[in-house]
Amino acid sequence: MSSKSSVLSPQSSKPTRVCVMGLGYIGLPTAAVMASRGLEVVGVDIVDSVVDTINRGEIQFAEPDLDIVVRSVVQAGRLRCFVEPQPADVFIIAVPTPLGEARQPDLSHVEAAARSLAPLLEAGNTVILESTCPVGTTEQLCAWLGEERPDLSFPHKAGQEADIRVAHCPERVLPGRVLQELVGNDRIIGGMTSRCADAACDLYRRFVRGELVRTNVRTAEMCKLAENAYRDVNIAFANELSLVCEQHGIDPWELIELANRHPRVDILQPGVGVGGHCIAVDPWFLIASAPELARLMTTAREVNEYKPVFVAQQVMQALPDGEVTVACLGLAFKPNVEDLRSSPAVQVVQLLAEHSRLTVLAVEPHVNALPPELADCSNVRLVSLDDALEQADLSVALVAHTALQEDLNGRRLDLARMIDVVNLLGLNGMARS
């Protein structure tokens, strides 16, 4: 396909049987939304407990209203889940793409999904990769499929006349708003050929109200990486600015508020770092492909990865000698979610827990158990905010949860015994030290 994009608006189309590979934070909501639009959907996950949970009409992670949708479509028989791929007209791959050794992309889950579904392929089927991936992965996907099914033709060799259509359509949703954004956001449709893009659009038209924007597959792959690298770089500027402000004794929150009064300045809010599965990971996919060119993105990653270390150092410098109790307010990777994946707040707690003289009281209103990284730390406990504030010699605000802001409202706090990394107190309308 040409690299020039085109736009398609949603239209109605005939329902299709869809197999969704991977039932995590993206795969399950995608499967549920498609099933709610009348499509027949089969979900696949290699974890037995995940499959069993969904087949009971329940969900294995928190996301607003997802439990209602899943229960409805499972009861209606439009979503069924299995541990192995099932025959379908369209296969969607939504499996993890973590960082491997030396921060290189680990595509083993994508390869495993491709090879496991390949025996079920029939001429006319479509395979769509939604997993975030390095540029060139969708072409590699075609090669893996071709190795398993030499009796079929694939677009990386046969072009428009291929038996199987292959496309890349990256997800771009916000945790906490996944159901709305799956439907309302524009989608980038990258086809290996124009026919491949047509086939992918035929599916997404059935549940997406946003525009379907067609491009070639490499541009679609790069688009998702560019979106998250852009956000990472801008967050890094805010985080680096907060470090410089600390050295000069300047309140970064006041500074940013003043600077943003400039009509062409919009500095983001600094925090503990960058977490979650996307922004903390995806820029490395770009960097790995061109390390000598991606210098700004590399520096941004280094700044954001250093911020939790800096926060832990701040805490240690503020503590007296001897045995001390520290309260860490918030563990999630961002406000108002229960998602602890790659959370910089968790990293701060880990760093503090390395000091045996410290007792760390973790407060996280959205979970009822410590994550595995902290569960084995004998000096870390998950407690209520009341217990933390009562027992701690020093409190550190790490996540600006609305629940924490509301719970702190009206309390008489000793600001000299608090370090506010995320402007939790300022957002709460309280005076800052």
Side-chain angles (χ1 to χ4, degrees), residues 300-313:
R301 276 283 74 230
E302 291 170 350
V303 169
N304 286 333
E305 290 188 350
Y306 170 67
K307 191 65 187 290
V309 177
F310 176 81
V311 171
Q313 291 172 347

Side-chain angles (χ1 to χ4, degrees), residues 21 92-98 105-118 127-134 136-142 144-145 148 166-168 221 277 285:
M21 306 284 292
I92 293 179
I93 298 176
V95 297
T97 49
D106 178 1
L107 301 179
S108 60
H109 300 292
V110 175
E111 180 179 2
R115 295 191 188 279
S116 67
L117 70 84
V127 179
I128 300 172
L129 178 61
E130 284 205 3
S131 303
T132 304
C133 57
T137 302
T138 310
E139 293 159 86
Q140 179 63 61
L141 170 65
C142 286
W144 287 327
L145 294 172
E148 298 294 325
V166 180
H168 179 62
E221 291 168 334
H277 182 65
F285 293 179

Side-chain angles (χ1 to χ4, degrees), residues 20 36 56 87 108 139 166 170 179 192-194 210 220 275 294 297 351 372 381 404 420:
V20 178
S36 73
R56 292 196 303 268
S108 60
E139 293 159 86
V166 180
L179 292 182
M192 287 288 293
T193 66
S194 59
M297 289 179 276
L351 291 169
R381 291 187 288 124
L404 290 177
D420 189 355

Side-chain angles (χ1 to χ4, degrees), residues 46 60 75 82 87 129 145 164 177 179 204 227 234 283 290 299 312 314 319 337 372 392 404-405:
I46 61 174
Q60 73 275 23
Q75 290 177 349
F82 305 85
L129 178 61
L145 294 172
I164 305 299
R177 287 186 49 82
L179 292 182
Y204 288 102
E227 291 167 2
N234 281 272
T299 300
Q314 269 190 306
L319 294 176
V337 300
L404 290 177
Q405 295 168 24

Side-chain angles (χ1 to χ4, degrees), residues 23-34 61 63 66 69-70 178-179 182:
L23 297 173
Y25 286 82
I26 300 302
L28 179 56
T30 299
V33 167
M34 289 191 296
F61 55 85
E63 177 62 37
L66 179 60
V69 180
V70 168
V178 171
L179 292 182
L182 274 175

Side-chain angles (χ1 to χ4, degrees), residues 5 24 86 93 103-104 119 144-145 185 193 230 290 300 310 382 407:
S5 301
Q86 303 296 310
I93 298 176
R103 291 171 174 157
Q104 295 297 306
W144 287 327
L145 294 172
N185 288 355
T193 66
Y230 170 86
F310 176 81
L382 185 68
D407 207 348

